[in-house]
Amino acid sequence: MKNNKNAVLMAMALLSLPVSAQVKIDSIAPHRYAAQSIDVGANVNFSREQSTSAVSVITSESTNKRSAKNIGNSILGQGSGLISLQNSGNYAGINPTFYIRGMQSLDGNTPLFVVDGIERDIQYISAEEVESVSVLKDAAATALYGYKGANGVVLITTKRGKFNSKEIKVNLDHAINFMAHKPKFVDAQTYAKAMNEAYANDGFENPRYTQEEVDAFGSGKYPYLYPNVNWVDETFRNHSVTNMLNASFTGGGEKFKYYALLDLQYDNGFVKNPDTHEGYSTNNKYVKGNLRMNMDMILSKNTTMKVNLLGVLAESNAPGNSAKLWDMVYGLPSAAFAVKDEDGKWGGNSTWAGTVNPVAQSQDAGYSRNHNRGIYTDLTIRQELPAVLKGLAVQGRIAYDHFSNIYENYSKTYVYGSPTVVDWLDGKPQLGKAFTGGSESDLGASISTNSFTRRFHADASADYQNTFGAHSIYSQLKYDYEFSDEFAINSTLYRQNISWYTHYGLLDRYFLDLALIESGSNRLAPGSKWALSPTVSAAWVLSKENFMKNLNWVDFLKLRASYGIIQTDILPESGWMYYMQQYQTTGGTYPFNSGFQSDFGRTYLDAIATSGLTREKAAKFNAGVDATLFGGLDFSFDGFYQRRSNIWVSTAGKYSSELGVDAPYEGDGIVDSWGWEASLDYNKQIGEVKFNIGANIDYYRSQIKEQDEAPKLYPNLVSTGHRVSQLFGYKAIGFFKDQADIDASKPQLLGSTPRPGDIKYEDVNGDGQIDTNDKTAIGYSTVAPEIYYNIHLGVEWKGLGIDAMFQGTGRYSGVLSTKSMYKPLVGNTTISQYYYDNRWTPETAGTAKFPALSSTSNANNYNTNTLWMFDRSFFKLRNIEVYYNFPKAMLAKTKLLNAAKLYVRGVDLFSFDHLDESDPEVFGATNPLNRSIVAGLSVIF
């Protein structure tokens, strides 16, 4: 087990206190933080000094430190209040999971993602085109997003042009990627011994392999009869390459400005030999091209227009039928069959079907492609009306987005087989009839549309802004309409908002915001489609009070608080029309068949229609402080409490089975959540040395107050009162040592016959037997951590600098259940070296980590329990960059370059955690996480 440093590192984070937004090192100004722009979603930006809401901002200086495929992967670990969790998969599908302020509801916790004011998918937004990322956390910050804002909002603002300027910037990144924690499985001879050991443990009379066969696996004398194949190394190479090239064009004239970006990405994948056929590749490669154009035009003295365009073309390639190669590798023993037999056919036999030969699948099963095509457009016109009233303006915006995924399948089949040994004679294997399966086919050719999405948005608003002596006011009345249609059943969605937002300031130090939002949605039942979401928030800038004037070490100090009720249109899992009585039939869809016999079957009641129609709502309270101290120390702290009520839950536990039909969903669920976020960032320059240090730490907790849970026999089974997504399982108290220990250890798990080396459990409820009634709350959530933190360090001297960001989690649990790695041999799968070295045997009883081997799905061992549970907390070096900014005097001599930066980056280079052979973020039968070394160059003309 790795040496866990989490407690020490978290203590360091607490002592150094945290960072919400990493700022540019050379931007050292006492009032920089107070002047930071905050988008309130009402056609206006306020400074942080004027803002009354809880918002953290990730600036453009720190959004592109990882050379990642999109903005989501670029901001991993950043943003106070934002939990970002890395996932794995082929490069094309790597996208993080996000939460804002942890787990808040029983019916989904995903935040809303908004790009330039419109809800959009961020997986095709590159880091280079992003100006800032804002994390909107409290009711005041999210209110104007209506039904969609209850789980928080991630607001992405893209870059814009500059009047009377011209600039060209080119970035080139070349990354070499290495797989971290590649699984290590035993060799063929060890596998044979392990199977024989498992057979003996299972009570079989004969071993799986004779001694001659065990010896043959080890000698390598009969490679086609008794092979020893390292499927990981045969299927995948050790590294891949990712290249990124983007060129941006920024500029404008007197009345027109533009920002344009061409972004190209290419990742060549990890398949070892993908080019064995002329004309196509089977590699899991990925190619993407983005073209963005943002334009601003001054049409007249009082009229402006903005146009945003983004086009996306992406193509991902994979082996035939989009084969899951890693899943195959995790299941296939090294002793199964050779990669190819002596005649050149692909290996395969009747025990392990030939289609799971991962090398064959990666080279000779054809290929498939996914084409993603998207166009995202919006146009805004703003008209100032000084002739009517000074400070009055009207604005209109329309947006239309279209995205589709087209799947091309050019798969084929192949012949596979292997020789068969029927006996051994005189120390030699005797062959029988060889096994042959499959057939050779040409490439298939099928094309289908997997999905398409259309989204139309329109809004119109009138706003008024003015200052009257000590008073300032901004007020907006707005109407939003949204239409969204996905390639699915019952997925057409209409939403509307009518909002009134007012911001009032007095003496530039007292601020009050009020928002009233009436939202409507066709997802909800008639009579409950519309609801009002009111919020109020206030801020007090203490640093401008006379009694603070003599405190020279206080540059900026503000207190703020907010409260609001945010309604949602989140549905129960039953989906659309939950409020109507549903019916099902036992037959087909046509009343009569060809023989004029009824095929319709009987009609019966499905789930009862929901009564007492309502909506899930979030009552949010937040209090916080923002400050800049000592001329460069930015500090922020927020404490919050939220009650989610009227959550849709199944009432199956509320009603008895005597109801006779499926119980309805009702809005009875209640979840409380609370926590705090602290952040700190310090910038200083001493001579020619500039440095930045900061950190943030967030703590979140949830508790289920009501969910219509069925009555339970014992209190340990009750999940109400625990956190959302609380892990439940048995308490393991060791292994059975021998039969005498088994006989003396009563009770035992019902439904199983324990053996020496099996897991022993605690009788939690004390009823004298161990069964499902002994499950209890163990560990924490397996979905999201309750503690999330980072530490950021940077220093620069004469253009040479280093920048690093560390990120960690705490109070986070996982369950080890990966086949072969932690659940070996079952269903003829293989076994990891780690499990084999740490399995229970009579000789290793005192040090074993895992149960004795078994070839069957052992009912005693393979369930959720504390032995398989592990502490999922970790501390990682997310990214580190060593760079050199060339001197401007040197570049001036070129008469071409205005700036140039050369850098080397390391991405996810190391992790302190509790897993020896896997990564706590990804530990299933899927692609291992990557570690990357990136060399890059950025030049500005």
Side-chain angles (χ1 to χ4, degrees):
M1 182 176 289
K2 298 178 185 175
N3 184 19
N4 178 37
K5 305 293 185 182
N6 285 353
V8 175
L9 294 167
M10 285 171 58
M12 290 169 57
L14 282 167
L15 290 173
S16 62
L17 282 175
V19 64
S20 60
Q22 296 157 15
V23 298
K24 194 174 180 180
I25 283 180
D26 57 5
S27 299
I28 300 174
H31 303 292
R32 175 197 67 255
Y33 187 56
Q36 189 176 57
S37 180
I38 303 295
D39 188 340
V40 300
N43 301 339
V44 67
N45 284 17
F46 293 120
S47 67
R48 183 170 292 278
E49 182 179 76
Q50 299 166 324
S51 173
T52 63
S53 55
V55 179
S56 64
V57 179
I58 307 169
T59 61
S60 59
E61 286 82 7
S62 57
T63 55
N64 193 11
K65 297 289 188 179
R66 291 173 54 84
S67 301
K69 69 184 285 274
N70 57 35
I71 186 61
N73 288 283
S74 297
I75 61 173
L76 277 170
Q78 300 188 60
S80 176
L82 181 65
I83 296 175
S84 49
L85 303 171
Q86 189 170 207
N87 294 315
S88 185
N90 288 339
Y91 187 88
I94 299 176
N95 293 298
T97 300
F98 292 98
Y99 301 100
I100 292 178
R101 292 188 164 176
M103 308 299 288
Q104 306 176 22
S105 175
L106 300 169
D107 276 343
N109 294 275
T110 303
L112 170 69
F113 290 90
V114 173
V115 181
D116 292 330
I118 310 295
E119 179 183 0
R120 283 168 173 153
D121 190 343
I122 67 169
Q123 67 171 310
Y124 299 104
I125 305 295
S126 63
E128 180 59 33
E129 65 196 280
V130 173
E131 180 65 31
S132 66
V133 179
S134 300
V135 184
L136 315 185
K137 300 179 285 187
D138 67 345
T142 63
L144 294 178
Y145 295 94
Y147 281 151
K148 301 187 292 184
N151 293 331
V153 180
V154 178
L155 175 60
I156 295 173
T157 303
T158 60
K159 295 177 180 178
R160 311 209 68 80
K162 299 177 182 178
F163 290 116
N164 300 312
S165 67
K166 182 172 64 176
E167 179 183 283
I168 300 175
K169 182 179 180 181
V170 178
N171 296 322
L172 174 63
D173 286 359
H174 177 74
I176 301 176
N177 311 306
F178 306 89
M179 289 186 285
H181 298 295
K182 285 198 300 184
K184 302 178 183 67
F185 300 109
V186 298
D187 60 27
Q189 186 177 53
T190 306
Y191 169 78
K193 292 178 180 179
M195 283 300 299
N196 286 348
E197 184 178 319
Y199 267 42
N201 292 338
D202 293 336
F204 291 111
E205 184 176 347
N206 297 316
R208 171 75 176 268
Y209 298 99
T210 65
Q211 188 59 49
E212 291 96 337
E213 291 176 309
V214 173
D215 293 340
F217 281 124
S219 68
K221 187 175 181 180
Y222 306 102
Y224 299 104
L225 303 178
Y226 297 96
N228 182 20
V229 181
N230 185 324
W231 291 108
V232 174
D233 289 347
E234 292 292 337
T235 309
F236 301 103
R237 55 190 174 196
N238 292 323
H239 70 277
S240 72
V241 172
T242 303
N243 288 312
M244 298 182 180
L245 171 66
N246 59 64
S248 62
F249 306 85
T250 307
E254 291 289 338
K255 296 184 178 182
F256 174 76
K257 62 179 180 178
Y258 60 88
Y259 173 81
L261 174 76
L262 175 63
D263 180 74
L264 303 174
Q265 295 181 14
Y266 172 76
D267 180 86
N268 72 344
F270 282 97
V271 172
K272 188 172 184 178
N273 294 301
D275 301 314
T276 56
H277 295 271
E278 185 176 351
Y280 68 90
S281 170
T282 62
N283 211 343
N284 52 346
K285 61 185 178 180
Y286 176 75
V287 181
K288 187 197 77 167
N290 273 16
L291 179 60
R292 170 172 289 280
M293 173 65 77
N294 291 347
M295 296 174 285
D296 296 76
M297 288 156 275
I298 300 175
L299 302 181
S300 69
K301 180 180 178 181
N302 297 313
T303 309
T304 58
M305 182 171 71
K306 292 197 302 185
V307 178
N308 299 326
L309 301 171
L310 172 63
V312 176
L313 290 176
E315 180 181 289
S316 57
N317 199 82
N321 289 314
S322 300
K324 297 181 179 179
L325 299 180
W326 277 107
D327 186 70
M328 297 175 185
V329 165
Y330 268 85
L332 194 61
S334 53
F337 43 75
V339 174
K340 287 186 175 182
D341 69 10
E342 201 164 4
D343 297 329
K345 293 193 303 290
W346 291 111
N349 56 35
S350 57
T351 303
W352 294 277
T355 53
V356 299
N357 181 333
V359 179
Q361 284 296 121
S362 69
Q363 296 182 23
D364 203 20
Y367 67 104
S368 58
R369 283 179 182 163
N370 265 296
H371 297 272
N372 293 318
R373 303 171 181 177
I375 183 75
Y376 305 87
T377 64
D378 59 88
L379 179 148
T380 304
I381 295 180
R382 182 172 179 83
Q383 178 68 51
E384 307 287 342
L385 300 172
V388 178
L389 179 65
K390 181 183 177 182
L392 180 66
V394 293
Q395 180 172 301
R397 174 174 56 182
I398 58 172
Y400 180 77
D401 300 342
H402 182 276
F403 178 84
S404 64
N405 173 263
I406 298 171
Y407 178 68
E408 298 180 68
N409 191 354
Y410 302 101
S411 301
K412 64 180 290 291
T413 59
Y414 49 84
V415 177
Y416 55 88
S418 59
T420 302
V421 177
V422 295
D423 199 1
W424 279 71
L425 184 65
D426 298 328
K428 295 181 179 179
Q430 305 299 302
L431 301 182
K433 183 180 180 180
F435 172 83
T436 301
S439 61
E440 192 69 31
S441 73
D442 295 328
L443 290 175
S446 66
I447 301 177
S448 60
T449 300
N450 278 351
S451 66
F452 68 80
T453 301
R454 297 177 298 157
R455 183 186 301 278
F456 174 78
H457 174 97
D459 62 67
S461 62
D463 55 73
Y464 174 72
Q465 184 173 18
N466 215 332
T467 300
F468 308 94
H471 308 274
S472 62
I473 189 170
Y474 177 84
S475 188
Q476 182 204 65
L477 185 64
K478 187 179 183 183
Y479 170 76
D480 293 90
Y481 171 85
E482 178 183 281
F483 164 84
S484 176
D485 180 45
E486 296 182 5
F487 186 63
I489 298 174
N490 289 332
S491 61
T492 302
L493 178 61
Y494 301 90
R495 286 192 179 106
Q496 300 177 70
N497 285 331
I498 301 172
S499 60
W500 176 46
Y501 167 79
T502 297
H503 172 84
Y504 170 73
L506 176 63
L507 297 172
D508 206 24
R509 71 187 70 163
Y510 311 109
F511 299 97
L512 179 67
D513 284 22
L514 174 66
L516 300 174
I517 300 89
E518 183 77 10
S519 301
S521 169
N522 73 319
R523 302 183 74 182
L524 301 173
S528 65
K529 293 182 182 296
W530 289 86
L532 178 67
S533 296
T535 67
V536 61
S537 56
W540 177 22
V541 184
L542 281 80
S543 53
K544 290 192 173 183
E545 296 290 355
N546 290 330
F547 61 82
M548 298 287 290
K549 297 291 186 181
N550 294 327
L551 298 179
N552 296 328
W553 54 277
V554 177
D555 301 296
F556 165 60
L557 178 62
K558 182 186 74 174
L559 301 179
R560 50 183 166 75
S562 67
Y563 177 77
I565 297 175
I566 307 298
Q567 308 272 354
T568 79
D569 62 352
I570 296 174
L571 289 178
E573 63 182 45
S574 58
W576 291 70
M577 305 305 176
Y578 61 98
Y579 52 87
M580 297 179 64
Q581 180 60 61
Q582 301 295 305
Y583 298 89
Q584 294 287 345
T585 64
T586 59
T589 58
Y590 294 96
F592 299 98
N593 60 22
S594 59
F596 297 98
Q597 301 296 315
S598 175
D599 240 2
F600 197 75
R602 65 183 179 87
T603 301
Y604 63 95
L605 289 174
D606 197 10
I608 296 177
T610 298
S611 60
L613 299 175
T614 184
R615 297 156 302 277
E616 181 176 340
K617 62 185 66 174
K620 297 171 177 276
F621 172 77
N622 189 94
V625 56
D626 299 319
T628 298
L629 311 174
F630 308 109
L633 182 66
D634 298 330
F635 171 76
S636 180
F637 181 88
D638 279 277
F640 73 92
Y641 168 80
Q642 177 183 194
R643 166 155 287 198
R644 295 290 276 267
S645 58
N646 298 126
I647 302 172
W648 292 106
V649 294
S650 171
T651 58
K654 184 177 178 180
Y655 303 105
S656 75
S657 59
E658 298 301 321
L659 187 64
V661 293
D662 291 341
Y665 282 82
E666 295 180 5
D668 293 341
I670 300 174
V671 172
D672 286 351
S673 59
W674 62 93
W676 52 266
E677 300 146 355
S679 64
L680 183 146
D681 195 44
Y682 184 64
N683 297 270
K684 187 71 175 178
Q685 179 168 350
I686 302 175
E688 295 188 76
V689 178
K690 308 170 187 177
F691 67 89
N692 165 264
I693 182 171
N696 80 331
I697 184 166
D698 306 333
Y699 170 76
Y700 310 110
R701 184 72 163 85
S702 65
Q703 185 181 47
I704 303 171
K705 306 298 288 188
E706 181 57 68
Q707 58 179 335
D708 284 344
E709 185 175 12
K712 299 295 172 61
L713 288 175
Y714 300 96
N716 55 283
L717 300 173
V718 177
S719 60
T720 304
H722 289 284
R723 56 180 54 84
V724 177
S725 68
Q726 169 69 58
L727 183 62
F728 275 74
Y730 296 101
K731 286 188 175 181
I733 55 175
F735 299 106
F736 290 110
K737 295 184 294 185
D738 49 34
Q739 189 60 45
D741 186 22
I742 294 173
D743 295 338
S745 298
K746 303 294 183 181
Q748 299 165 3
L749 183 64
L750 293 181
S752 67
T753 303
R755 308 164 309 183
D758 280 358
I759 303 172
K760 187 189 300 186
Y761 299 107
E762 178 183 334
D763 180 11
V764 171
N765 60 22
D767 65 351
Q769 63 183 19
I770 296 178
D771 55 19
T772 55
N773 289 325
D774 289 290
K775 291 184 178 181
T776 189
I778 56 176
Y780 302 98
S781 168
T782 60
V783 178
E786 292 183 353
I787 296 175
Y788 195 88
Y789 60 97
N790 71 41
I791 300 173
H792 174 263
L793 306 168
V795 62
E796 181 181 323
W797 173 72
K798 291 186 177 181
L800 179 64
I802 184 170
D803 186 272
M805 202 269 285
F806 303 85
Q807 184 259 311
T809 62
R811 296 171 71 93
Y812 190 26
S813 295
V815 177
L816 301 174
S817 58
T818 308
K819 68 177 182 181
S820 300
M821 181 62 71
Y822 303 108
K823 188 179 180 181
L825 306 180
V826 177
N828 290 316
T829 57
T830 187
I831 178 173
S832 65
Q833 188 69 51
Y834 183 61
Y835 192 109
Y836 186 79
D837 293 340
N838 291 279
R839 75 196 188 285
W840 187 95
T841 66
E843 294 74 27
T844 64
T847 59
K849 296 180 181 179
F850 305 122
L853 297 179
S854 175
S855 63
T856 62
S857 186
N858 187 299
N860 184 86
N861 295 336
Y862 297 133
N863 50 59
T864 302
N865 59 66
T866 53
L867 183 137
W868 299 116
M869 183 189 74
F870 74 100
D871 184 349
R872 202 175 175 183
S873 58
F874 59 83
F875 182 80
K876 292 188 173 186
L877 174 59
R878 279 297 184 197
N879 42 268
I880 185 169
E881 178 184 84
V882 179
Y883 62 89
Y884 180 65
N885 288 310
F886 289 87
K888 291 187 178 297
M890 176 191 300
L891 298 175
K893 295 178 182 179
T894 67
K895 298 183 180 180
L896 178 66
L897 298 179
N898 295 321
K901 176 183 176 182
L902 185 66
Y903 52 88
V904 176
R905 293 171 178 166
V907 180
D908 294 321
L909 293 184
F910 72 78
S911 172
F912 293 112
D913 54 60
H914 299 265
L915 282 180
D916 293 327
E917 294 296 321
S918 305
D919 189 281
E921 290 191 278
V922 177
F923 48 91
T926 183
N927 302 56
L929 289 179
N930 291 346
R931 293 170 177 165
S932 302
I933 300 295
V934 184
L937 175 65
S938 176
V939 295
I940 298 176
F941 299 93

